[in-house]
Amino acid sequence: MEQVRAKKSLGQHFLTDESIAERIARSLTGRTRCLLEIGPGMGVLTKHLVGEPQYRFRAIELDRESVEYLHLHYPELDVIEGDFLRLDLNNIFGDEPFAIIGNFPYNISSQILFRVFEQRNHIPEVVGMFQKEVAERVAAGPGSKTYGILSVLLSAFYDIEYLFTVHENVFNPPPKVKSAVIRLTRNDVQQLGCDERLFVQVVKTGFNQRRKTLRNALKPLNMQLDAIPEEILAKRAEQLSVQDFIFITNNITPEKCQ
Ligand code: SAH
């Protein structure tokens, strides 16, 4: 592509298919006024958003060359040069909630999603492209092999839709894997009804040894499991719903010191 050469270390795979960029932009529900794009690169997606009057639009891009390119081609764009993972999300649009959009840098997909989980009360919506495997993992439900930590944590607070798959040959350079676009929409849940920090720990520990039954997988927590029915303890983490994890969190107690 012109001027900017893709840098692998930054997860740069520039989308070359305009119609897909447009489709991603149109996948926003439009309910949120403020909009943050992560990693605009050379602006293929940006151009469908930057002039739209319904949005207050900002972007964050780590790569200096891309930022220069964007300044030149989209002078009206409010682009922050920096790392999304270090961005203070409480200040970016003042107090206003904001949606996140992007063809994301795949090397930091999980970190982006964990930040969304932590900041969920600021982020009503996320639309974006991940590598297909990550998108499937996030969108998976209980009983599926790809169901994991991020599926449970995110689905506790978001409705998650797998929108469409994208072939590797519409990128420059083409990634090794297919991609997919998903949409996360914040649900009404404010409180999980359990100690949330412990919930996260239970989910993470349960999936850490995902082939083991929960009775064994949860041992590292050093908690008493006596109040949990055997039918749950005999299952593996991938078979449990968000509600099951909440139930476990509410019914484990610290081991007594000997
Ligand atoms: N959206 C563009 C580029 C996608 S590639 C397109 O679809 O063509 C991912 C982009 O994210 C690259 O431009 C890369 O420089 C940028 N990026 C990588 N790590 C980043 C980070 N931590 N914070 C912000 N942007 C990042």
Side-chain angles (χ1 to χ4, degrees):
M1 258 179 135
E2 43 169 337
Q3 292 192 26
V4 178
R5 242 192 319 133
K7 301 181 186 92
K8 262 197 169 163
S9 58
L10 289 171
Q12 290 185 338
H13 295 282
F14 299 115
L15 185 60
T16 57
D17 186 325
E18 280 293 333
S19 64
I20 293 176
E22 201 185 337
R23 205 169 156 196
I24 297 173
R26 274 196 280 110
S27 299
L28 286 163
T29 63
R31 271 176 293 188
T32 310
R33 190 176 83 93
C34 296
L35 184 58
L36 177 69
E37 181 181 0
I38 303 176
M42 295 162 77
V44 66
L45 185 55
T46 321
K47 71 163 78 100
H48 298 282
L49 302 162
V50 68
E52 293 295 317
Q54 77 263 38
Y55 295 124
R56 184 173 162 213
F57 183 63
R58 304 189 78 182
I60 175 145
E61 171 58 63
L62 185 55
D63 178 32
R64 159 144 310 164
E65 262 183 278
S66 295
V67 171
E68 282 169 9
Y69 180 95
L70 291 163
H71 278 318
L72 203 64
H73 289 79
Y74 304 95
E76 72 278 39
L77 174 67
D78 178 2
V79 57
I80 305 161
E81 183 179 338
D83 180 349
F84 168 74
L85 298 178
R86 291 163 176 268
L87 188 64
D88 178 0
L89 297 180
N90 293 312
N91 277 325
I92 174 127
F93 291 102
D95 278 349
E96 269 200 69
F98 57 93
I100 289 181
I101 191 163
N103 163 22
F104 299 117
Y106 295 171
N107 50 334
I108 57 165
S109 301
S110 300
Q111 286 141 290
I112 291 174
L113 288 163
F114 274 113
R115 283 211 92 186
V116 168
F117 170 73
E118 283 161 11
Q119 298 288 331
R120 58 189 171 268
N121 291 333
H122 282 107
I123 307 174
E125 184 171 339
V126 179
V127 166
M129 184 136 64
F130 292 94
Q131 68 184 71
K132 183 167 185 266
E133 192 200 28
V134 173
E136 281 172 345
R137 238 192 294 147
V138 173
S144 139
K145 274 210 183 96
T146 50
Y147 185 61
I149 296 168
L150 278 169
S151 343
V152 178
L153 298 186
L154 289 167
S155 67
F157 294 105
Y158 287 92
D159 296 331
I160 302 168
E161 297 161 274
Y162 184 100
L163 299 182
F164 57 93
T165 306
V166 180
H167 196 275
E168 51 271 39
N169 65 10
V170 299
F171 296 91
N172 182 19
K176 291 206 176 69
V177 289
K178 289 204 182 343
S179 300
V181 176
I182 55 174
R183 176 167 56 211
L184 277 60
T185 320
R186 186 75 172 85
N187 63 21
D188 296 332
V189 175
Q190 292 304 321
Q191 303 290 337
L192 283 182
C194 66
D195 174 340
E196 197 179 293
R197 282 178 60 174
L198 187 56
F199 170 81
V200 173
Q201 234 185 319
V202 169
V203 173
K204 285 185 172 172
T205 313
F207 279 103
N208 217 359
Q209 295 169 289
R210 58 183 296 145
R211 285 166 186 281
K212 292 195 175 174
T213 61
L214 284 156
R215 175 180 297 291
N216 291 319
L218 293 181
K219 274 193 180 143
L221 281 177
N222 282 327
M223 299 288 260
Q224 277 202 37
L225 305 175
D226 300 354
I228 319 269
E230 179 56 29
E231 63 183 86
I232 293 186
L233 291 177
K235 287 185 178 170
R236 295 192 302 264
E238 66 196 32
Q239 297 171 289
L240 298 193
S241 66
V242 171
Q243 289 311 319
D244 291 331
F245 281 108
I246 292 173
F247 176 83
I248 294 176
T249 308
N250 280 329
N251 288 282
I252 51 179
T253 43
E255 286 275 19
K256 288 194 191 74
C257 294
Q258 301 291 325

